């Protein structure tokens, strides 16, 4: 077999790799150890600690972020897989001092108690409303089926999503 | 829990991935969506030397008609698959199965290829390194964590057994086997196509007939007149199947002319149930009951998943009956409490 051209691989800086991705609308160049997950890079190398460390095994949804607009679990995604991607975390929802309507509704209705699940739920609900501005209750339940909450019993969360959807119309 | 260090190769084409896999040797591991690989490497179920990412391989993301079948690339994401309009009524079992894997977030990333190659699972295996060390490891995950386990060790589910009884818990494999799918494996040497059922081995340690240098490239999925997938799990989201029943039938009038029924999560491989007894007659209550009896005998669950063992065996019968009654056209509302767990069956 003739020698093949090498595909582009991430450049390295010492033991770290350097990737460019868009985080909350801004281009970010970040150097990190190649075994790190997106969750670890967001929290440890980009100081975005809004996204929470829960089970780290895909079983709770606390680490949910949007990658190219879709909710994913950042604990299961190697950061190396995110080169060129656009990542939205809970820090990216507000516009300056103006909270996202979802954040207002969660505060109004007590949809966050301990708050540990809240960042993951907010970004997941944001993706839902971007796709379905007037979701039905079953659509909300299905969209949030990958986010566990041990405090609220979910009802206030569903109501807050509905309120945010109404206010946005 | 941190992943171990590894070398990284982002494959750019199918040929490049196959070449990297062949060159990488036994400690190279393919990364589809990584939703099974990442937890597994965090727990040191394996410690790959090289990870080969398939994310940028455009050929694996295709979904297109191929003759009378649908050709679905191994890189197609399960969430997109379940929502794809090119899957018609003829592919109901697959649409249902893909739509109930794990949780919505995971389905946004998980690939069909990863689902079909999913490692077998067991209460003694899917645990942290510390947990496994505390029970002195099992045969599938011995102390010297590696990709291919050496022979020996104890199966903690059946300590007298010479083999590993870890369970095949992929949702899509039973559905696709019921639809009569075939799978194409590609290596640097060439490619081969086999019936999907033949990809699996009844062995918790070496659960695939895939050679280490082969990667799953696509599946060809014929349509079936009627098909379904019933999944049992404790919660309606997140959980792996504790039982999956996939069934597909062709009818001439009300007479069954072809049938395939496959059980998931009751053995180390998807269990294909012989359907001769269903052929040449209508799906009457007696025929269904006799068939469900046979299927239940073939289901060999052990005490290594969620739920109590005896009940898991009994519920197999009820699920097979329910799935076949659905296929003969019974009103879902009359199928009882187990049917109500099949979210897709009962519209909200
Ligand atoms: C909380 C949780 C719940 C889950 N629930 C379910 C469930 O209900 N049902 C279910 O079926 N699964 C479930 N899973 C497992 C997993 O998410 C899915 O099976 C998923 O489809 C795996 O696909 P992937 O692309 O992420 O695979 P990966 O993790 O990338 O790979 C899985 C395996 O397949 C191999 N592989 C990947 N692509 C190829 C290829 N093209 N050729 C050859 N080998 C390949 C990998 O090397 C690895 O051995 C769950 C996982 C988690 C974390
Ligand atoms: S921390 Fe990612 S799902 Fe729990
Ligand atoms: S508010 Fe505490 S887990 Fe949801």
């Amino acid at each position: 077999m003739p020698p093949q051209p090498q595909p582009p691989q991430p450049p390295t800086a010492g033991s770290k790799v350097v990737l460019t991705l868009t985080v909350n609308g801004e281009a970010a160049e970040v150097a990190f150890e190649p075994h790190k997950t997106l969750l670890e890079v967001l929290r440890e190398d980009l100081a975005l600690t809004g996204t929470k460390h829960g089970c780290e095994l895909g079983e709770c949804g606390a680490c949910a972020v949007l990658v190219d607009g879709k909710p994913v679990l950042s604990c299961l995604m190697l950061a190396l897989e995110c080169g060129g991607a656009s990542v939205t975390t809970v820090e990216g929802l507000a516009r300056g001092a103006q909270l996202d309507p979802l954040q207002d509704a969660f505060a109004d209705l007590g949809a966050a108690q301990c708050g540990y699940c809240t960042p993951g739920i907010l970004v997941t609900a944001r993706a839902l409303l971007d796709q379905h501005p007037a979701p039905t209750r079953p659509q909300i339940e299905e969209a949030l089926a990958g986010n566990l909450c041990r405090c609220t019993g979910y009802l206030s969360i569903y109501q807050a999503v509905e309120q945010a959807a109404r206010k946005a119309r | 829990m941190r992943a171990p260090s590894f070398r990284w190769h982002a494959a750019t084409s199918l040929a490049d991935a196959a070449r990297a896999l062949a060159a990488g040797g036994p400690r190279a591991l393919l990364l589809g969506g990584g939703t099974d690989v990442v937890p597994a490497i965090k727990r040191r179920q394996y410690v790959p030397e090289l990870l080969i990412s398939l994310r940028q391989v455009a050929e694996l993301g295709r979904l297109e008609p191929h003759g009378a079948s649908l050709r679905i690339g191994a890189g197609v994401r399960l969430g997109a698959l379940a929502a794809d309009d090119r899957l018609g009524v003829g592919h109901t079992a697959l649409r249902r199965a893909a739509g109930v894997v794990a949780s919505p977030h995971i389905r946004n990333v998980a690939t069909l290829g990863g689902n079909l190659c999913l490692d077998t699972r067991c209460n003694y295996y899917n645990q942290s390194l510390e947990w496994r060390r505390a029970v002195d490891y099992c045969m599938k995950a011995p102390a010297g964590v590696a990709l291919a386990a050496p022979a020996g060790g104890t199966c903690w589910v059946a300590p007298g057994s010479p083999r590993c009884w870890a369970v095949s818990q992929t949702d899509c494999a039973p559905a696709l086997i019921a639809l009569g799918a075939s799978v194409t494996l590609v290596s640097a040497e060439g490619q081969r196509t086999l019936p999907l059922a033949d990809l699996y081995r009844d062995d918790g340690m070496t659960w695939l007939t895939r050679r280490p240098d082969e990667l799953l490239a696509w599946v060809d999925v014929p349509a079936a007149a009627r098909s379904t997938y019933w999944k049992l799990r404790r919660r309606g989201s997140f959980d792996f199947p504790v039982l999956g029943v996939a069934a597909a039938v062709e009818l001439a009038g009300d007479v069954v002319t072809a049938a395939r029924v496959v059980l998931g999560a009751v053995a180390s491989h998807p269990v294909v149930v012989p359907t001769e007894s269903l052929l040449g007659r209508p799906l009457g209550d007696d025929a269904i009951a006799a068939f469900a009896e046979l299927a239940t005998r073939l289901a060999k669950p052990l005490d290594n998943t969620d739920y109590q063992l005896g009940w898991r065996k009994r519920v197999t019968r009820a699920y097979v009956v329910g799935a076949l009654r659905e296929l003969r056209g019974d009103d879902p509302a009359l199928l009882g409490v187990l049917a109500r767990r099949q979210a897709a069956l009962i519209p909200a």
Side-chain angles (χ1 to χ4, degrees):
Chain A
M1 197 185 286
Q4 300 294 325
Q6 275 301 303
Q9 302 293 334
T12 53
S15 63
K16 295 189 172 182
V17 287
V18 185
L19 274 192
T20 308
L21 57 167
T22 304
V23 181
N24 297 329
E26 284 177 28
E29 196 180 71
V30 56
F32 58 91
E33 284 137 340
H35 62 267
K36 279 193 173 182
T37 60
L38 176 59
L39 173 65
E40 289 157 352
V41 169
L42 286 171
R43 292 181 55 92
E44 297 163 11
D45 300 292
L46 289 164
L48 292 169
T49 53
T51 305
K52 297 301 175 222
H53 249 286
C55 64
E56 305 184 311
L57 293 170
E59 292 166 8
C60 75
C63 67
V65 299
L66 306 185
V67 171
D68 296 329
K70 286 211 167 74
V72 307
L73 301 177
S74 60
C75 73
L76 293 190
M77 185 163 282
L78 293 172
L80 275 170
E81 291 278 73
C82 301
S86 171
V87 180
T88 305
T89 68
V90 70
E91 287 92 342
L93 292 187
R95 292 282 157 266
Q98 173 116 42
L99 292 181
D100 187 283
L102 278 163
Q103 291 170 307
D104 275 327
F106 271 59
D108 285 352
L109 297 182
Q113 289 184 20
C114 80
Y116 209 77
C117 68
T118 311
I121 293 187
L122 284 172
V123 293
T124 305
R126 174 55 29 232
L128 171 71
L129 294 187
D130 287 346
Q131 216 194 344
H132 300 287
T136 62
R137 179 62 70 90
Q139 279 175 325
I140 298 172
E141 289 174 3
E142 173 58 19
L144 297 177
N147 297 92
L148 294 189
C149 174
R150 298 301 291 160
C151 303
T152 62
Y154 301 102
L155 194 58
S156 55
I157 292 175
Y158 300 151
Q159 288 166 341
V161 176
E162 284 160 353
Q163 175 173 314
R166 271 197 310 275
K167 288 251 171 89
R169 286 201 291 277
Chain B
M1 222 181 281
R2 302 265 174 178
S5 304
F6 45 77
R7 275 193 313 120
W8 177 256
H9 179 83
T12 50
S13 67
L14 202 49
D16 176 49
R19 209 161 35 233
L21 190 58
R27 289 192 61 204
L29 186 66
L30 294 168
L31 187 74
T35 62
D36 193 52
V37 164
V38 174
I41 62 177
K42 286 185 181 180
R43 292 169 168 147
R44 306 299 191 269
Q45 283 160 263
Y46 5 93
V47 183
E49 192 268 324
L50 171 69
L51 278 186
I52 301 169
S53 164
L54 300 176
R55 185 172 68 101
Q56 296 173 37
V57 179
E59 295 119 295
L60 295 180
R62 294 202 190 122
L63 193 162
E64 60 208 3
H66 185 79
S69 296
L70 207 53
R71 175 163 289 182
I72 308 175
V76 171
R77 315 274 168 181
L78 297 182
L81 185 60
D84 197 300
D85 289 337
R86 286 166 291 183
L87 268 68
V89 280
H91 301 108
T92 302
L94 174 60
R95 186 197 283 272
R96 289 235 180 110
V100 294
V101 168
S103 68
H105 299 76
I106 291 178
R107 292 194 295 275
N108 281 337
V109 175
T111 65
L112 182 62
N115 193 257
L116 295 179
C117 295
L118 180 68
D119 197 353
T120 54
R121 300 177 54 83
C122 176
N123 287 348
Y124 292 90
Y125 173 62
N126 296 95
Q127 301 288 354
S128 67
L129 182 64
E130 295 73 21
W131 191 102
R132 286 182 286 121
R133 186 186 297 140
V135 300
D136 197 19
Y137 304 98
C138 71
M139 155 187 314
K140 186 168 164 70
V145 276
L147 263 181
T154 305
C155 172
W156 290 115
V157 189
S161 163
R163 59 162 285 188
C164 158
W165 293 94
V167 184
S168 165
Q169 287 184 289
T170 148
D171 280 301
C172 294
L176 281 171
I177 295 170
L179 290 172
S182 58
V183 59
T184 297
L185 302 169
V186 168
S187 71
E189 242 91 277
Q191 67 180 58
R192 62 185 176 118
T193 299
L194 56 157
L196 180 59
D198 294 349
L199 180 64
Y200 299 98
R201 302 182 67 226
D202 184 10
D203 180 345
M205 307 265 286
T206 316
W207 62 99
L208 297 177
T209 58
R210 174 180 87 84
R211 293 196 318 261
D213 67 331
E214 286 178 318
L215 62 113
L216 199 160
W218 61 77
V219 285
D220 286 318
V221 193
R226 300 185 186 194
S227 68
T228 190
Y229 180 69
W230 281 39
K231 172 172 180 170
L232 174 69
R233 53 175 163 180
R234 189 176 290 271
R235 301 173 293 179
S237 185
F238 287 102
D239 289 340
F240 281 86
V242 177
L243 169 67
V245 175
V249 296
E250 303 288 338
L251 300 174
D254 62 353
V255 172
V256 178
T257 56
R260 258 188 297 260
V261 178
V262 186
L263 308 178
V266 293
S268 296
H269 65 137
V271 174
V272 179
V273 185
T275 53
E276 284 76 19
S277 70
L278 291 175
L279 302 181
R281 49 180 175 150
L283 279 171
D285 287 348
D286 291 348
I288 290 178
F291 179 79
E293 193 56 46
L294 166 69
T296 306
R297 261 186 280 126
L298 295 179
K300 300 258 189 278
L302 289 176
D303 202 5
N304 56 352
T305 69
D306 192 11
Y307 281 131
Q308 201 237 334
L309 184 57
W311 185 74
R312 280 171 56 208
K313 190 117 172 122
R314 282 204 304 283
V315 82
T316 307
R317 179 181 297 111
Y319 261 48
V320 171
V321 169
L324 290 177
R325 283 181 56 187
E326 183 207 335
L327 290 189
R328 81 176 176 193
D330 283 16
D331 178 356
L334 300 177
L335 290 177
V337 65
L338 295 176
R340 278 193 284 280
R341 295 186 67 113
Q342 314 307 315
L345 203 56
I346 313 291

